[in-house]
Amino acid sequence: MENTHWKIEWSDALSMSNPEIDAEHRHFIELVNELNGAIRDRRDKSDIERIMKLILEDSIAHFSHEERLFVEKGFPSAQGHAQIHSELIRKFKQVLKEIHTTEFSREWIETGLTIRDLLVDHVLNEDTQYIEYLRAD
């Protein structure tokens, strides 16, 4: 039986009303769920590192896409939001480094849950600020 404490479920509350951004956010959720499942199941370190690398690569591509949209749509808080993206990327790189240089521990579990929380918090509290700019034509 799967513990839902580990998982993020997609809901309309997470939607940005933009099919491309929503697809990218759904993919993030899948990767974070996969990471937490791998940590929970104590899969091989190399598998956990692989998933974390995918999260990092996807976040870089996704944040770049969002930042292009900010310019295109004239989002006034674009610079501040880009700084938040930079900080998230820094945190993801640090997590990858920690996983690479340590063995399985309670900290990995906490890290996986923290990444889940960072993602949900970012989408709900930061990304929702630009929904109206995405809708503007």
Side-chain angles (χ1 to χ4, degrees):
M1 184 173 190
E2 190 149 343
N3 183 343
T4 57
H5 176 69
W6 290 87
K7 291 186 80 172
I8 303 170
E9 296 294 335
W10 178 262
S11 71
D12 288 342
L14 297 172
S15 176
M16 296 292 106
S17 300
N18 177 293
E20 286 180 77
I21 296 295
D22 284 349
E24 291 171 7
H25 284 172
R26 283 178 192 242
H27 187 66
F28 264 138
I29 288 171
E30 290 170 11
L31 288 173
V32 171
N33 286 340
E34 185 179 355
L35 174 69
N36 280 314
I39 292 170
R40 182 198 61 222
D41 297 342
R42 293 182 177 227
R43 293 201 324 234
D44 288 342
K45 181 177 176 175
S46 62
D47 198 30
I48 293 169
E49 282 185 271
R50 178 191 61 78
I51 298 164
M52 192 59 226
K53 283 179 188 174
L54 289 173
I55 290 171
L56 176 60
E57 291 167 2
D58 275 24
S59 66
I60 291 168
H62 170 68
F63 294 158
S64 177
H65 180 206
E66 280 187 349
E67 290 166 18
R68 284 191 309 275
L69 287 174
F70 295 164
V71 171
E72 185 180 303
K73 300 292 185 173
F75 180 52
S77 300
Q79 185 176 2
H81 201 98
Q83 288 174 337
I84 292 167
H85 287 165
S86 293
E87 181 61 18
L88 285 170
I89 289 169
R90 187 194 65 73
K91 287 178 183 177
F92 292 164
K93 286 179 178 179
Q94 182 61 36
V95 165
L96 185 57
K97 181 180 175 185
E98 288 171 11
I99 290 170
H100 183 73
T101 59
T102 62
E103 292 307 313
F104 185 87
S105 68
R106 180 165 179 76
E107 285 77 30
W108 283 24
I109 295 169
E110 291 171 4
T111 295
L113 294 174
T114 297
I115 289 173
R116 181 203 64 191
D117 293 345
L118 285 171
L119 175 65
V120 171
D121 180 65
H122 182 73
V123 171
L124 289 176
N125 296 319
E126 301 296 335
D127 284 358
T128 55
Q129 294 177 22
Y130 70 78
I131 290 174
E132 293 306 318
Y133 288 89
L134 289 182
R135 292 180 181 153
D137 289 331

